[in-house]
Amino acid sequence: MHKQCFVTGGSGFIGQHLVASLTRNGHPVTLLLRSPAALPALRGQVDRLGGNGQLLGAVTGDLGKPGLGLDAAAREQVRQAAVVFHLGAQFAWGLSVAQARQVNVEGALAVAELAASQASRLLLAGGFMLANHEHLRRLGIDLQAPSRTDWATVYRRIGAYEGSKLEAHFKVLARMSELNAELTVVHPATVCGHSRSGHILPAQPLAGLIGNLAGGLLGAIPGSPAHWLPLVSVDFLAELLRVAAFDQEQAGQEILALDARTPNLHGMLQQLAQTLGVSAPSRHLPIPLLRWLLKIPGLPRLLRTEPESLDFIQTTRFDTAATQALAQRHQLLWPDIAQALQATARYLVNEQLSRD
Ligand SMILES: NC(=O)c1ccc[n+]([C@@H]2O[C@H](COP(=O)([O-])OP(=O)(O)OC[C@H]3O[C@@H](n4cnc5c(N)ncnc54)[C@H](OP(=O)(O)O)[C@@H]3O)[C@@H](O)[C@H]2O)c1
């Protein structure tokens, strides 16, 4: 059955692919857009990504405004949504805490309250670091009673973007439980381009890493041979978000969208370098040393690397058995992550060539 959906962040990278997947499957979608003038272009993009742009509508709103900036007509338009997908976020390094909190924490709470008030399921995009409890404890998050966490310390340790994502997660969980409302959380790993076309947006962290490798700015491999940057391809993630949202068994669940076959960072850089026709770094540089080096004024800009991005490179391995079972139940096939990486690198090279 086709179900009405409301999507925040639908103009973003994951959002575009999610909306393509939803509309391809016949679900009408209303987007929350800061600039509704973007709707016609988005319809075209969703068509190009294999969806049906005709099933797209939009309301004007802003996650950073009280009540999401929705007027009464817009509230009415989204009232029928069976699922509210919350993907919208200020996603960047170097944000101020106030800016990140206003959109990523207060905005997420406002979306949660909207979903609860109209009995829609909320599908929240978290992040894979939320599945690494050891890491959360090290940051000072009280997992037994998250409300006792000193968030200012967490923001200082991890940066405003990731701090706000962690705070939003625990606050939305608590709010939805108080309101007795239905929530499913999907925690994506770092998102790789489309497994066949390689489509990715240039502001994505992986596109930045590939750009640095192509430009010869990556002189060493961050971390040890055990370090990796867990990935998920955007097309698989979009399908997973869609099936999780309509699966009754996933109400109240947290799902890790991470491809456990992602190679370690060394292997990943070698594969990418081969596709790009450049040489891959072979020496390792310990993360604490790199973090220290990045304190040197001007170096982050020179190396086009922000210290906040290093937190996603780690040694922890994750249990993805529940995700495998969910994918199997819905007959979702995991694309080959090595091929997805190659397609992403080729896509970025072609984009660069067409810009030049
Ligand atoms: N990409 C990853 O590697 C990754 C990994 C883990 C988790 N995630 C999470 O997945 C979600 C989507 O990520 P993404 O990569 O698709 O991000 P993205 O490409 O940066 O897109 C962000 C989206 O949020 C919207 N947005 C930002 N500020 C807004 C505001 N004040 N009001 C309304 N909308 C606003 C943007 O709209 P405009 O078009 O108006 O700017 C855009 O649609 C985020 O929650 C992110 O934290 C991403």
Side-chain angles (χ1 to χ4, degrees), residues 200 202 206-207 210 343-353 355:
I200 191 167
L206 184 65
I210 295 175
T344 307
R346 275 197 300 269
Y347 177 89
L348 287 168
V349 169
N350 290 337
E351 283 292 287
Q352 184 64 45
L353 286 176
R355 266 199 303 275

Side-chain angles (χ1 to χ4, degrees), residues 1 12 27 41 56 93 104 130 153 187 189 215 219-220 322 330 332 337:
M1 213 176 66
H27 302 296
L56 269 192
W93 315 134
N104 297 352
L130 278 151
T153 303
H187 293 305
H330 292 274
L332 300 186
I337 197 70

Side-chain angles (χ1 to χ4, degrees), residues 150-207:
D150 173 8
W151 287 107
T153 303
V154 175
Y155 279 80
R156 242 190 340 272
R157 290 182 176 155
I158 191 104
Y161 163 72
E162 186 63 5
S164 66
K165 288 289 296 182
L166 302 179
E167 184 182 5
H169 172 77
F170 289 106
K171 293 216 162 138
V172 168
L173 245 60
R175 194 78 189 109
M176 291 302 270
S177 155
E178 269 166 32
L179 297 171
N180 209 10
E182 242 182 48
L183 170 69
T184 300
V185 188
V186 172
H187 293 305
T190 295
V191 184
C192 177
H194 189 282
S195 59
R196 289 184 307 282
S197 70
H199 174 256
I200 191 167
L201 296 186
Q204 287 294 305
L206 184 65

Side-chain angles (χ1 to χ4, degrees), residues 212-237:
N212 280 355
L213 182 64
L217 290 170
L218 215 62
I221 308 156
S224 68
H227 278 80
W228 69 320
L229 178 67
L231 297 177
V232 62
S233 72
V234 73
D235 43 326
F236 182 79
L237 172 60

Side-chain angles (χ1 to χ4, degrees), residues 56-290:
L56 269 192
V59 292
T60 307
D62 189 322
L63 293 166
K65 290 192 176 159
L68 300 172
L70 297 175
D71 62 18
R75 291 282 301 224
E76 199 46 44
Q77 202 176 327
V78 302
R79 192 177 300 283
Q80 298 305 323
V83 181
V84 171
F85 291 86
H86 180 48
L87 275 70
Q90 276 272 314
F91 186 16
W93 315 134
L95 294 173
S96 74
V97 171
Q99 202 182 7
R101 286 201 77 256
Q102 187 183 7
V103 175
N104 297 352
V105 182
E106 299 306 330
L109 281 168
V111 173
E113 281 163 12
L114 174 89
S117 73
Q118 56 187 35
S120 309
R121 161 104 61 105
L122 176 64
L123 194 302
L124 180 70
F128 77 102
M129 305 288 267
L130 278 151
N132 184 343
H133 289 185
E134 207 31 62
H135 166 75
L136 299 180
R137 274 190 214 98
R138 267 198 309 271
L139 288 176
I141 295 175
D142 186 333
L143 293 175
Q144 251 59 54
S147 62
R148 287 206 299 250
T149 300
D150 173 8
W151 287 107
T153 303
V154 175
Y155 279 80
R156 242 190 340 272
R157 290 182 176 155
I158 191 104
Y161 163 72
E162 186 63 5
S164 66
K165 288 289 296 182
L166 302 179
E167 184 182 5
H169 172 77
F170 289 106
K171 293 216 162 138
V172 168
L173 245 60
R175 194 78 189 109
M176 291 302 270
S177 155
E178 269 166 32
L179 297 171
N180 209 10
E182 242 182 48
L183 170 69
T184 300
V185 188
V186 172
H187 293 305
T190 295
V191 184
C192 177
H194 189 282
S195 59
R196 289 184 307 282
S197 70
H199 174 256
I200 191 167
L201 296 186
Q204 287 294 305
L206 184 65
L209 180 71
I210 295 175
N212 280 355
L213 182 64
L217 290 170
L218 215 62
I221 308 156
S224 68
H227 278 80
W228 69 320
L229 178 67
L231 297 177
V232 62
S233 72
V234 73
D235 43 326
F236 182 79
L237 172 60
E239 294 295 288
L240 199 68
L241 285 162
R242 177 179 59 79
V243 300
F246 301 119
D247 184 331
Q248 209 38 50
E249 283 183 30
Q250 298 309 312
Q253 299 298 315
E254 295 189 28
I255 302 154
L256 189 55
L258 178 155
D259 194 325
R261 293 160 311 173
T262 308
N264 66 8
L265 198 53
H266 188 188
M268 182 172 131
L269 293 173
Q270 276 179 327
Q271 284 178 15
L272 286 168
Q274 205 175 7
T275 310
L276 294 166
V278 298
S279 53
S282 55
R283 277 174 302 117
H284 288 272
L285 190 62
I287 300 256
L289 177 58
L290 187 51

